[in-house]
Structures are given as structure tokens and as C-alpha cells.
Amino acid sequence: MNEPIATHQPSTTLMGGAELGLRKKPRLMARLLRQITKHPIGFAGMLIVLFVLLMAILAPIIAPYEPSAQGATRLLPTSAEHLMGTDELGRDVFSRIIFGARTSLYVGLLSVSLASVVGITIGVLAGFIGGTFDNTIMRVVDIIFAFPTLVLAIVIAGLLGPSLTNAMIAIAIVFSPSFARVARGSVLTVKNEVYLEAAHVVGGRSAHIIWRHILPNVMPPLVVLATLSLSLAILAEASLSFLGLGTQPPDPAWGLMLSQGRKFMERSPGLAIFPGLAIMITVLAFNFLGDGLRDALDPRLRL
């Protein structure tokens, strides 16, 4: 009896899986954008954040003057030549506001990125390992949380010395515990799930389990926390620069401009009003964006 000869046909499983992997990220981003557009506050925050980001990137093109160029006339009012007037040294306030966006976003993005990397690493390891290591890490986090955030940042920046880099390091240090606590709580939530037990049973290494199974499931709340932390980081940088512990003259920074402009409030109130408005609008925009991301990433809120 002749048996049928099995013919080998190329399987499309791997090809389909690869295609799915390539399409997964764009579909996730598209779904996220659709969810944000359903929330007017989150959508408005996203538009303002994009506007500030573009303003910072295109600052050399948009700004009519060099930010540190001193003119002949000081404390000029708003006019067609100087949209926001000039400061006490004859520098164009509008140009300095635009370049100040670079400083705020630079410090905010780098400090929050550093804080998230350190905090998430510590929090995930503490929740995954548990035991004495977890207790020790959480007690250190509780000690840092006992101090007001801004006060602790001022102390650290004062010890390191007044500079933009030291201010960024101080902000990253005081924000790391927030990421550590949220990451640990999320890990404890998913730690006993069936898919993690299956990964342990088949002999998966701890690093592989953390990277492939735990991190993707704990990232949504951390993304929202990072967005909200950006607003706090920008506000903290402005506060440190206002106190002389952040950006140093003649570099433009909104907090530094606010500190210098308050001396001339009676004669030229725009020197303090315009940088104050820039800080307020940017911080509100990141808060609005964070609220929109929270609603978009939380399935319970969508339901």
C-alpha cells in the first residue's frame, strides 16, 4: 500500500508573527492617539506640548534676536519691534522666552528620564525579589518621601553647587522614589499571574521574565507618571533657577527671567508676567496630557 508522500510547504506562521510584531506598535500608537482625541483636555494638552516642543526645536529660526544680545534701549514696552519688550539689559524678552523653552524641556526630559530609569529598575527588582531587599529599598524610599520634594531638591542642588546640570541631578534624585514605588506596586500586582508562573516552570531566566513579561504589563501607569512628572520637573527647574541654583546668567531660563524681572515689576511688569505665563501654560499642558494618557491607557476608565 502506497503511503501519501508528505510535501513540505513553507509555513506562514513566522511570517505572520513578524508582520504582527511590526504592526503592533503603530496600531498601539494609533489607538492611543484616538483615545486621547476623545478627551478634549488631553487633546488640548497634547497640542500645547507639541507647540512648545516645536518652539524649542525651531528657536534659532523663530526668535527675532539672539537671546543674549544687548540692545541700546532698556525696559522697552511691547511693540512691533519687540513683541514682549526688552529687559533691564536691553535683551529681547520674546527671544529669551523662546530659547527658555529649550532649557525647561531639556531639564524636564533628561531629569525625568534619569529618574524613571533608576526608579523603575529599583522598584521592579524590589517587587520581583522581595524579602529583605524589598524591605530595605522601600524604607529608603520612605525616608526620601518624608522630605518635601522642592526642599530636598534645593538642599541637593545647594550641596552640589549652582548649575543647570546639578539642578537636573537634584530633580532626578527626588523624583526617582515615585517611579520606584509605582513600579514595585505594579510588579506585586502581576507577580502571581498564571503567565509568570508558566514562565518560571519552563525555566525562564529572571532577566528574561522581567524584560519580556513584567515590564510590558507595568508600563502604562509609569508612562502616565512620567508625563505628570515632566510638569513637576519643569516647575522644579524654574524654582531652582529662581533661587539662583539652576540656570546661571546669561543663559535664558523662565525661572531666572522671573527672578530678574520681579525687581522691575512697577516699571515693566511684562518681565515677570511673560515667563510666569510660559511656566503656567507648559505645566498645565503636561498635566492635561497626563490626564488624557491616564484615561486612554486605563481600560476601566474606557469602559
Side-chain angles (χ1 to χ4, degrees):
M1 180 177 182
N2 295 331
E3 296 181 355
I5 300 176
T7 58
H8 176 72
Q9 296 181 357
S11 174
T12 59
T13 304
L14 296 178
M15 296 177 59
E19 184 179 358
L20 179 61
L22 292 175
R23 293 181 179 179
K24 184 177 180 180
K25 187 173 181 181
R27 287 180 179 178
L28 178 62
M29 295 299 298
R31 180 177 64 82
L32 188 61
L33 288 176
R34 286 197 302 269
Q35 291 294 333
I36 293 179
T37 54
K38 295 179 181 179
H39 300 82
I41 293 181
F43 184 64
M46 182 182 67
L47 291 180
I48 298 175
V49 168
L50 290 177
F51 174 78
V52 175
L53 183 61
L54 288 175
M55 183 176 66
I57 295 174
L58 302 176
I61 301 175
I62 299 175
Y65 302 94
E66 289 293 328
S68 300
Q70 300 182 11
T73 307
R74 304 176 181 180
L75 300 177
L76 285 176
T78 57
S79 62
E81 187 177 359
H82 300 281
L83 297 179
M84 296 182 180
T86 59
D87 62 6
E88 70 279 7
L89 297 178
R91 298 172 297 191
D92 184 65
V93 176
F94 179 66
S95 299
R96 291 180 64 80
I97 290 288
I98 293 176
F99 276 91
R102 281 188 163 187
T103 303
S104 296
L105 293 180
Y106 170 77
V107 174
L109 291 174
L110 262 66
S111 60
V112 171
S113 298
L114 180 60
S116 62
V117 170
V118 175
I120 292 174
T121 302
I122 294 174
V124 169
L125 291 178
F128 185 78
I129 296 173
T132 304
F133 180 77
D134 182 22
N135 291 330
T136 303
I137 292 297
M138 287 301 103
R139 297 300 77 77
V140 174
V141 169
D142 291 338
I143 292 174
I144 297 177
F145 268 119
F147 296 93
T149 303
L150 185 57
V151 174
L152 185 59
I154 292 174
V155 172
I156 297 174
L159 293 175
L160 296 177
S163 70
L164 184 61
T165 302
N166 292 338
M168 182 179 64
I169 295 174
I171 295 171
I173 292 175
V174 299
F175 282 176
S176 297
S178 300
F179 287 93
R181 177 171 286 183
V182 173
R184 173 184 176 269
S186 300
V187 170
L188 293 178
T189 302
V190 303
K191 186 177 181 180
N192 297 322
E193 294 291 339
V194 177
Y195 61 88
L196 288 183
E197 295 179 0
H200 284 289
V201 169
V202 298
R205 294 179 300 175
S206 298
H208 177 79
I209 293 174
I210 292 174
W211 183 257
R212 294 296 301 272
H213 301 289
I214 293 181
L215 280 179
N217 289 281
V218 302
M219 285 307 294
L222 294 171
V223 171
V224 176
L225 177 61
T227 306
L228 297 175
S229 297
L230 279 170
S231 64
L232 298 176
I234 292 173
L235 189 60
E237 184 277 328
S239 301
L240 293 176
S241 297
F242 181 87
L243 297 174
L245 298 174
T247 306
Q248 300 299 305
D251 295 333
W254 293 339
L256 181 60
M257 295 174 62
L258 186 60
S259 176
Q260 294 173 340
R262 63 189 175 91
K263 304 174 184 177
F264 306 94
M265 281 291 293
E266 294 184 359
R267 182 175 177 182
S268 184
L271 294 182
I273 293 176
F274 291 126
L277 287 175
I279 296 171
M280 182 190 71
I281 293 173
T282 305
V283 170
L284 281 176
F286 276 105
N287 284 331
F288 291 163
L289 179 59
D291 290 339
L293 287 175
R294 180 198 61 190
D295 297 342
L297 294 174
D298 194 339
R300 294 170 300 180
L301 295 178
R302 291 202 303 270
L303 291 176

